[in-house]
């Protein structure tokens, strides 16, 4: 099946620094990618929809200036957590939509810990 | 309001036993229903996807059912293995938007 990768798989950073997470679709082109956040024992929460070549669409309550999304190519979307705080510590998961089969594949997730 | 509710919240079974997880939804417009398996610290992996006209679909030891009239789905796991321990998430697609259930945490004990 289609594969979506994320890098890094886990990252620890200090408060106030910025962290970039990459999401790649490995064997298909994805016009649309999604970024989710998951707290322990909770379901995935959609943060934003990333559209190739245009601005991302953010869900209500998600700060677009804090969570910068760039979708510069059909196989890569990045999420940058700016000026990270400990409360940003979470599991971030991306997914990519295969437009040919209208299927959505999830990445393996990135564990962010802000100290 | 689009909602997906799963039960039970958690379940413990012995290795080799069968189990059934439930999913009820109120989603409109309905596109399809998916079951995902999520291991701890990993992203969800698709098990089955069913459209309105399908009422059962199997993937190895996993069998999903869908009753579009009652808006219910179930995931049946046969002859459980230790590696089945994970969260199982029911997701309903509503016109391109995915509505997630909170998941059922399954623990398979030896």
């Amino acid at each position: 099946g289609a594969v979506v990768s994320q890098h890094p798989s886990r990252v620890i950073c200090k408060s106030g620094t910025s962290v970039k997470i990459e999401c790649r679709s490995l064997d298909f082109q994805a016009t649309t990618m999604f970024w989710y956040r998951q707290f322990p024992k909770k379901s995935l929460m959609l943060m934003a929809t990333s559209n190739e070549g245009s601005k991302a669409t953010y869900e209500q309550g998600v700060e677009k200036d804090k969570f910068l999304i760039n979708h510069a190519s059909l196989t890569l979307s990045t999420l940058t957590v700016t000026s990270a705080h400990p409360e940003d510590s979470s599991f971030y998961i991306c997914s990519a939509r295969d437009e040919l089969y209208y299927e959505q594949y999830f990445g393996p997730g990135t564990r962010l810990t802000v100290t | 309001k689009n909602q997906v509710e799963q039960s039970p919240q958690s379940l413990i079974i012995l290795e080799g036993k069968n189990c059934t997880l439930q999913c009820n939804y109120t989603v409109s417009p309905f596109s399809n229903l998916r079951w995902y398996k999520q291991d701890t610290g990993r992203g969800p992996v698709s098990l089955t996807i069913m459209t309105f006209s399908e009422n059962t679909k199997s993937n190895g030891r996993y069998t999903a059912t869908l009753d579009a009239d009652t808006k219910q789905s179930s995931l049946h796991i046969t002859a459980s293995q230790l590696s089945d321990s994970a969260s199982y998430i029911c997701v309903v697609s509503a016109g391109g938007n995915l509505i997630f259930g909170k998941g059922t945490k399954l623990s398979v004990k030896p």
Side-chain angles (χ1 to χ4, degrees):
Chain A
V3 178
V4 174
S5 70
Q6 280 184 243
H7 178 80
S9 58
R10 39 180 86 231
V11 57
I12 300 173
C13 70
K14 294 185 177 181
S15 289
T17 61
S18 295
V19 175
K20 179 185 285 189
I21 304 170
E22 293 185 349
C23 177
R24 294 181 185 273
S25 57
L26 297 185
D27 54 4
F28 66 98
Q29 293 184 330
T31 305
T32 306
M33 292 185 174
F34 305 88
W35 287 97
Y36 297 85
R37 184 173 181 176
Q38 188 175 32
F39 292 103
K41 300 183 180 180
K42 300 292 184 182
S43 190
L44 281 71
M45 182 187 75
L46 179 64
M47 298 174 64
T49 300
S50 170
N51 303 295
E52 188 269 336
S54 64
K55 293 182 178 180
T57 304
Y58 290 82
E59 295 299 301
Q60 191 173 9
V62 178
E63 299 177 59
K64 61 182 180 181
D65 294 331
K66 179 165 186 63
F67 298 99
L68 300 179
I69 291 173
N70 183 276
H71 193 158
S73 77
L74 288 172
T75 59
L76 173 64
S77 175
T78 61
L79 169 68
T80 301
V81 182
T82 63
S83 187
H85 290 151
E87 55 263 33
D88 297 326
S89 298
S90 191
F91 192 53
Y92 292 88
I93 302 173
C94 75
S95 71
R97 179 185 288 163
D98 183 338
E99 301 292 348
L100 184 61
Y101 297 102
Y102 211 72
E103 180 56 88
Q104 193 168 324
Y105 300 97
F106 288 87
T110 296
R111 171 73 58 193
L112 170 63
T113 303
V114 184
T115 60
Chain B
K1 181 181 177 182
N2 288 331
Q3 279 187 316
V4 176
E5 296 185 354
Q6 292 187 243
S7 62
Q9 187 175 4
S10 62
L11 181 63
I12 300 174
I13 62 173
L14 293 177
E15 185 179 12
K17 298 296 186 183
N18 304 334
C19 67
T20 300
L21 314 180
Q22 300 291 343
C23 173
N24 297 335
Y25 62 93
T26 53
V27 172
S28 180
F30 176 89
S31 297
N32 54 60
L33 185 146
R34 308 144 184 252
W35 282 95
Y36 287 91
K37 177 186 179 186
Q38 186 179 21
D39 292 309
T40 302
R42 305 290 294 173
V45 174
S46 180
L47 296 176
T48 63
I49 176 170
M50 289 186 291
T51 59
F52 185 87
S53 59
E54 297 175 295
N55 53 29
T56 186
K57 183 166 280 189
S58 292
N59 177 2
R61 294 180 296 103
Y62 301 104
T63 299
T65 65
L66 173 64
D67 186 331
D69 292 331
T70 62
K71 298 187 178 181
Q72 296 180 325
S73 176
S74 67
L75 180 69
H76 186 75
I77 304 175
T78 305
S80 62
Q81 300 177 357
L82 298 179
S83 59
D84 292 332
S85 295
S87 287
Y88 291 83
I89 306 172
C90 176
V91 182
V92 181
S93 176
N97 296 320
L98 297 186
I99 312 299
F100 288 80
K102 293 184 178 181
T104 293
K105 184 173 176 60
L106 174 66
S107 298
V108 181
K109 304 294 186 183

